[in-house]
Amino acid sequence: MAGGEARPSPLMERLARKGPRKLLALDGGGIRGVLSLEILAEMEKLLIKASGRADYRLADYFDYVSGTSTGGIIAAGIAMGMSVAEMMDFYVQNGAAMFDKTGLFSYVTSFFQSKFQSSPLAKQLKTVFGEDTTLGSPRIRSLLLLVMRNATTDSPWPISNNPFAKYNDPAHPANNLKLPLWQLVRASTAAPTYFSPEVITVGDKRFIFVDGGVTMYNNPAFQMFLMATVGQYWSKAPAEIPRWNTGLDDMLIVSVGTGTSAGQNFSLRPEEMTILFNAKTIPSALMYAALNEQDALCRVFGECVEGPPLDREIGALMPSHGPLDAKLFRYARYNAELTREGLAALGCGMIDPAKVQQLDSVDAIDDLRTIGRAVAAQRVKADHFNFGVFKP
């Protein structure tokens, strides 16, 4: 640049642009992330066609990408400009290694022993993201939000690379932008009973983190919207960084799930609900409730153009009449119901629901990909992106 001025980072250049904003949220769900990736592959295909560029990536389209747990892995990959095919290869090639079971003796003799070794996952994350890549790295091309739970402070931690956030100030002794990206992703994926917690030193304090799926943000869509629009997150932004406007032609939010599998058990007896029963079932119940709550909030405050019914009482909320006179954004939700009925509706009735409902079903990767492709074929449409306004 003239006068020897330093060139702004790709992220700062992006934030300085004017015009509509596009946001992408990715649910947690273990190895079922491959289902999400097949949906994302169709989105990438549509964007490549609309842009006329074979090298067009989701990072070129979405200004803000958020993810929890397995969604955090995918979100980080997208924000760094990886293609969907590259991320799918990562899951297919490393799925078995990431879910490397601990020795049977250790698992049986220790009630609190995690089901899988954490070191293989950490190793793979270091390889794909780079051991020295930080949250503030210029390699990250969009805003990125990762969700984890701080067990030390008993609080959710939605952490972003927004350069104007309070704890991203270079002068702050606990500057989050200096934290290793791989370690933050690993913390977001540390599902209780599946993986051991991740210990991260922030400033002069040592914190223990577990999976963000055990917060209210297993689906981080509405939390991402808040962090993109609430003034406190942008209070230190200079005048040349425009505010992110809301409105149907100013903001698009796309939310992608990993499949849901809420079921019924009318044979359940009260005396069966022991401590072990609750320990096994409560986390998944909270995750299911949380992702539906985030989805419902987006459908109430946004104009939903695609999404399965939330429940039998309120349906799909398309259209919906919320507490505001105008909708704040356009919204699309892509997901699959992993029940026998839901799979049949997708033309996947030959797939065993029990096999694909588990978070660690590495053997079901092919079936999960088949389901994801079916969702994409039925539900992902070019007009959901309204390329006239939200063009690539």
Side-chain angles (χ1 to χ4, degrees), residues 256-280:
V256 182
T258 61
T260 59
S261 55
Q264 299 175 334
N265 183 4
F266 289 107
S267 64
L268 178 65
R269 301 189 306 273
E271 59 270 21
E272 294 177 326
M273 300 182 67
T274 62
I275 293 176
L276 289 176
F277 174 89
N278 288 321
K280 180 180 178 181

Side-chain angles (χ1 to χ4, degrees), residues 62 100 134 145 346:
F62 289 103
D100 180 25
T134 63
L145 168 63
L346 288 170

Side-chain angles (χ1 to χ4, degrees), residues 71-140:
I73 298 175
I74 299 171
I78 289 173
M80 292 186 70
M82 294 176 66
S83 68
V84 176
E86 288 174 317
M87 289 181 282
M88 183 66 80
D89 286 344
F90 172 77
Y91 271 78
V92 172
Q93 294 173 11
N94 300 300
M98 289 191 294
F99 290 93
D100 180 25
K101 293 187 178 181
T102 59
L104 179 62
F105 178 76
S106 297
Y107 181 64
V108 172
T109 57
S110 175
F111 176 81
F112 296 103
Q113 176 70 43
S114 299
K115 190 176 182 182
F116 298 100
Q117 296 282 5
S118 60
S119 54
L121 175 57
K123 179 180 179 181
Q124 298 303 329
L125 294 176
K126 289 178 186 179
T127 299
V128 73
F129 297 130
E131 188 169 357
D132 298 326
T133 302
T134 63
L135 182 64
S137 169
R139 296 179 61 195
I140 302 176

Side-chain angles (χ1 to χ4, degrees), residues 39-319:
I39 297 171
L40 293 170
E42 180 64 19
M43 291 166 52
E44 185 180 70
K45 176 182 174 183
L46 291 173
L47 292 169
I48 287 173
K49 181 179 180 181
S51 68
R53 281 178 43 195
D55 63 346
Y56 198 84
R57 299 290 177 258
L58 295 177
D60 296 315
Y61 186 75
F62 289 103
D63 302 291
Y64 206 152
V65 186
S66 63
T68 302
S69 193
T70 198
I73 298 175
I74 299 171
I78 289 173
M80 292 186 70
M82 294 176 66
S83 68
V84 176
E86 288 174 317
M87 289 181 282
M88 183 66 80
D89 286 344
F90 172 77
Y91 271 78
V92 172
Q93 294 173 11
N94 300 300
M98 289 191 294
F99 290 93
D100 180 25
K101 293 187 178 181
T102 59
L104 179 62
F105 178 76
S106 297
Y107 181 64
V108 172
T109 57
S110 175
F111 176 81
F112 296 103
Q113 176 70 43
S114 299
K115 190 176 182 182
F116 298 100
Q117 296 282 5
S118 60
S119 54
L121 175 57
K123 179 180 179 181
Q124 298 303 329
L125 294 176
K126 289 178 186 179
T127 299
V128 73
F129 297 130
E131 188 169 357
D132 298 326
T133 302
T134 63
L135 182 64
S137 169
R139 296 179 61 195
I140 302 176
R141 295 162 52 178
S142 67
L143 284 179
L144 172 65
L145 168 63
L146 300 171
V147 181
M148 58 208 74
R149 177 177 176 269
N150 189 329
T152 303
T153 62
D154 194 23
S155 61
W157 266 42
I159 187 170
S160 172
N161 64 336
N162 180 347
F164 311 116
K166 177 179 179 179
Y167 290 100
N168 290 348
D169 186 338
H172 199 287
N175 181 4
N176 289 333
L177 294 181
K178 296 180 180 180
L179 299 175
L181 178 63
W182 75 263
Q183 196 172 27
L184 294 173
V185 174
R186 164 70 182 86
S188 181
T189 62
T193 76
Y194 282 88
F195 296 106
S196 60
E198 183 72 15
V199 179
I200 302 178
T201 299
V202 184
D204 60 353
K205 292 184 172 62
R206 177 175 171 274
F207 296 105
I208 300 173
F209 291 96
V210 295
D211 197 311
V214 291
T215 70
M216 283 301 295
Y217 314 124
N218 189 51
N219 169 357
F222 198 73
Q223 177 65 19
M224 175 182 59
F225 165 72
L226 294 177
M227 293 179 71
T229 56
V230 172
Q232 278 82 348
Y233 295 105
W234 300 88
S235 59
K236 295 185 177 181
E240 61 267 23
I241 301 298
R243 178 181 176 180
W244 287 28
N245 295 326
T246 60
L248 293 180
D249 291 334
D250 290 301
M251 185 169 286
L252 169 69
I253 298 179
V254 177
S255 176
V256 182
T258 61
T260 59
S261 55
Q264 299 175 334
N265 183 4
F266 289 107
S267 64
L268 178 65
R269 301 189 306 273
E271 59 270 21
E272 294 177 326
M273 300 182 67
T274 62
I275 293 176
L276 289 176
F277 174 89
N278 288 321
K280 180 180 178 181
T281 59
I282 286 179
S284 61
L286 290 175
M287 290 169 65
Y288 179 72
L291 70 87
N292 274 293
E293 179 69 8
Q294 291 277 305
D295 190 7
L297 286 169
C298 286
R299 299 192 198 204
V300 169
F301 289 97
E303 184 67 41
C304 186
V305 298
E306 171 60 37
L310 291 165
D311 60 42
R312 282 180 286 188
E313 180 173 15
I314 61 176
L317 292 177
M318 295 190 299

